[in-house]
Amino acid sequence: MWFNGLLDLSVMQLILVTLGMTHVTIVSVTLYLHRHSAHNSLDLHPVLKHFFRFWLWLTTAQNTKEWTAIHRKHHAKCETEEDPHSPVVLGIRKVLFQGAELYAESATPETLERYGQRTPEDWVERHLYSRYKMLGISLLAVINLALFGVHGIWIWAVQMMWIPVWAAGVVNGIGHWMGYRNYECADNARNISPLGLLIGGEELHNNHHTYPNSSKLSRRWFEVDVGWGYIRLFQLFGLAKPKGYRPIAHHVPGKLDVDVETVQAIANNRFDIMRQYRKRVMEPVLRQQKALMDDEIRPRYRKLRQLLSREITLIQPKEKETLESVLERNPVLRQIYEKSHELQALWRQRGLKPQDKLNALMDWCREAEASGIRYLEEFAEHLRAYSLRPSA
């Protein structure tokens, strides 16, 4: 019948087609806009790049320069008043339900000028994609009506909602509000789910903010980044080439000498080093000390476990008071806490010469090994074994 369009599909077929098209849109955003354009962590074949650019113009009216500039600004100004879409600053409700509006408000000439470099400025961009941004989604509405008949109306509506809801709302909102953290990066980014399937791997948001220049977003054995799966698939056909996707740090069992490469490897892999410090030192020492805590402190054990390893800039004033009151009563916990910040000073202090960093790391290891705390001694030995990954 004419009202079912040229394809005359069943309801189930229509749903599957809709999900398939929105999935292509998600893949276009995560591979082309995010990993390729914004972070330059992925090279794409010109044919694939233009397909993604055309598809996004057709299905979202997304402009490459605007999206790239706003996302780069988000990383540069994360969780500050200048962050285009921080739920920490603006509130989760506003970002979750007005994410698309926040993107539009942030696309100022100043932002595009400062953060929009190295984005397409060819003829088709100037005369079609940027000049007639709304033409694409209008054309899509006509195509949907022709192919799917009256069902094309709701299919078009779903396509128009897909990116504002999942990317602008869920990733930018929930991804900075709730979830788990593998790494204590300097902002509130969190992994929404270890299964990065529905939003192309963008669910692994804490991993991304920790290693923004990595084309692979999964970091743990149980995490799945479907976007990385597509990258590997395209790579087989010469259509994609990932750049940095793994740390240059390399652990050499039996290595005992601290050298400049050890310092470089640890600094490069610093977030994972601090995650290991939490697992290998803080948590086992805290379990030992739990039995020695008085009745006032013991109920706050779980909170204390979080505060000891939390990024210091994210600790609230009342939480700082809680942490300090416990550290005053327990010299062992204070020692492992202070040693963690001494280790972080290796890469946080600006202007240190390589030899100064090397001397500081050697001093740190010697002090840790003389601390009398077994877990701290073992961790110092673990650090000594780091070096740079051999070139392939």
Side-chain angles (χ1 to χ4, degrees):
M1 300 294 289
W2 65 268
F3 52 79
N4 285 332
L6 297 175
L7 298 181
D8 194 19
L9 301 179
S10 67
V11 173
M12 182 55 66
Q13 289 173 323
L14 290 169
I15 292 173
L16 292 176
V17 168
T18 304
L19 292 175
M21 291 191 295
T22 52
H23 186 70
V24 174
T25 302
I26 287 291
V27 172
S28 301
V29 170
T30 186
L31 264 58
Y32 171 68
L33 287 180
H34 194 193
R35 308 186 204 201
H36 167 74
S37 182
H39 292 288
N40 194 32
S41 65
L42 173 68
D43 283 336
L44 294 172
H45 190 279
V47 172
L48 198 57
K49 279 192 292 187
H50 202 100
F51 167 77
F52 286 144
R53 191 153 48 121
F54 169 74
W55 184 265
L56 290 168
W57 173 73
L58 190 69
T59 60
T60 68
Q62 291 280 3
N63 177 276
T64 301
K65 187 168 188 175
E66 288 182 1
W67 196 99
T68 299
I70 293 167
H71 186 74
R72 288 173 178 168
K73 184 176 182 180
H74 164 62
H75 277 266
K77 306 294 183 180
C78 198
E79 318 296 22
T80 69
E81 296 290 338
E82 296 182 70
D83 189 333
H85 43 66
S86 169
V88 175
V89 176
L90 302 173
I92 183 63
R93 186 178 185 86
K94 185 175 183 66
V95 177
L96 193 59
F97 295 107
Q98 299 179 38
E101 290 84 347
L102 292 173
Y103 261 93
E105 293 171 6
S106 301
T108 63
E110 295 77 15
T111 296
L112 299 185
E113 176 67 25
R114 181 172 181 182
Y115 297 102
Q117 293 86 3
R118 302 185 307 278
T119 52
E121 295 183 359
D122 52 13
W123 186 93
V124 72
E125 186 68 40
R126 296 193 309 271
H127 292 86
L128 181 61
Y129 295 154
S130 293
R131 188 174 182 180
Y132 302 107
K133 290 196 296 184
M134 305 306 292
L135 177 60
I137 58 175
S138 300
L139 179 61
L140 179 66
V142 174
I143 294 173
N144 281 359
L145 287 172
L147 293 179
F148 311 119
V150 294
H151 295 288
I153 299 173
W154 66 261
I155 292 175
W156 183 85
V158 169
Q159 290 175 296
M160 294 304 100
M161 293 170 55
W162 207 253
I163 293 302
V165 170
W166 289 110
V170 173
V171 175
N172 295 337
I174 295 177
H176 282 264
W177 191 256
M178 61 182 294
Y180 71 96
R181 286 167 68 87
N182 283 332
Y183 309 100
E184 283 300 314
C185 56
D187 54 66
N188 205 45
R190 297 170 180 274
N191 292 331
I192 304 171
S193 165
L195 301 179
L197 302 174
L198 190 59
I199 325 177
E202 300 296 332
E203 295 92 333
L204 300 166
H205 206 55
N206 172 253
N207 296 358
H208 168 61
H209 269 253
T210 303
Y211 298 103
N213 296 322
S214 173
S215 53
K216 182 181 180 182
L217 305 188
S218 57
R219 288 285 163 177
R220 309 287 295 280
W221 66 268
F222 55 83
E223 293 174 340
V224 177
D225 171 15
V226 72
W228 177 248
Y230 281 111
I231 290 172
R232 285 305 208 188
L233 176 63
F234 292 139
Q235 192 176 11
L236 289 175
F237 298 97
L239 299 175
K241 181 181 179 181
K243 296 182 179 180
Y245 62 89
R246 62 178 179 174
I248 62 174
H250 179 59
H251 197 261
V252 184
K255 180 176 177 293
L256 299 177
D257 296 326
V258 176
D259 49 31
V260 173
E261 285 198 359
T262 308
V263 178
Q264 294 173 338
I266 290 174
N268 174 263
N269 205 32
R270 57 192 179 274
F271 292 105
D272 191 63
I273 293 293
M274 295 316 300
R275 184 180 69 84
Q276 292 181 41
Y277 188 89
R278 183 182 78 232
K279 295 291 186 182
R280 291 169 173 258
V281 181
M282 285 185 167
E283 292 184 1
V285 170
L286 188 56
R287 284 194 296 268
Q288 284 183 341
Q289 296 298 308
K290 184 179 181 181
L292 304 176
M293 294 178 182
D294 55 40
D295 294 337
E296 180 185 351
I297 299 175
R298 196 173 293 113
R300 291 180 285 178
Y301 171 82
R302 185 166 186 158
K303 185 69 173 178
L304 178 62
R305 181 183 173 188
Q306 298 172 349
L307 293 178
L308 280 172
S309 58
R310 181 171 296 171
E311 161 64 35
I312 193 169
T313 59
L314 300 179
I315 300 179
Q316 301 300 316
K318 287 186 178 180
E319 293 176 329
K320 287 182 180 179
E321 293 178 8
T322 299
L323 180 59
E324 187 59 34
S325 67
V326 174
L327 297 180
E328 284 180 359
R329 306 183 195 188
N330 194 307
V332 174
L333 291 182
R334 177 174 288 281
Q335 187 173 7
I336 65 168
Y337 184 71
E338 290 178 349
K339 293 302 289 183
S340 74
H341 288 281
E342 290 173 14
L343 184 57
Q344 292 178 67
L346 286 173
W347 52 79
R348 286 187 165 173
Q349 289 184 26
R350 302 296 182 185
L352 283 181
K353 297 179 180 179
Q355 187 61 43
D356 293 334
K357 292 183 178 180
L358 174 59
N359 292 335
L361 179 59
M362 293 173 66
D363 290 342
W364 191 96
C365 289
R366 280 195 295 264
E367 292 172 4
E369 289 164 346
S371 66
I373 302 174
R374 178 168 64 91
Y375 298 107
L376 197 54
E377 296 170 11
E378 292 173 351
F379 192 76
E381 182 180 351
H382 175 74
L383 286 186
R384 288 180 180 274
Y386 271 96
S387 187
L388 296 179
R389 187 181 298 277
S391 57

